[in-house]
Amino acid sequence: RSLRDVTALAATPALRDAVIDLERALYGRATAPWHGDALWHAFQREPRRAARPRAARAPGLPPLFKLGPAPD
């Protein structure tokens, strides 16, 4: 949901630092241009995680209008 959430999920300090640098460039007072090479390389070196199974989907909301047969 946020860049801070990404840092919490990062397994390596390199990725955490690169994401924090991005956050500073986006929301900080720095005027220096940001280049994404460090972030890209850190992301590529990040160990892969096994995919989590998807949670069972909750049933959708009931329809607003119950459509029945057309009146005669």
Side-chain angles (χ1 to χ4, degrees):
R1 295 184 186 186
S2 71
L3 291 173
R4 287 291 170 169
D5 292 338
V6 174
T7 62
L9 296 173
T12 61
L15 183 58
R16 282 191 292 270
D17 293 345
V19 171
I20 289 170
D21 288 344
L22 171 60
E23 185 177 46
R24 285 181 183 142
L26 291 173
Y27 305 113
R29 296 180 185 207
T31 57
W34 178 80
H35 301 286
D37 294 338
L39 178 60
W40 177 246
H41 292 298
F43 182 75
Q44 287 182 320
R45 289 188 303 267
E46 186 75 4
R48 303 286 185 237
R49 294 183 181 188
R52 292 186 301 176
R54 290 183 182 240
R57 295 184 116 188
L61 294 173
L64 291 176
F65 304 101
K66 296 190 186 252
L67 302 176
D72 291 332

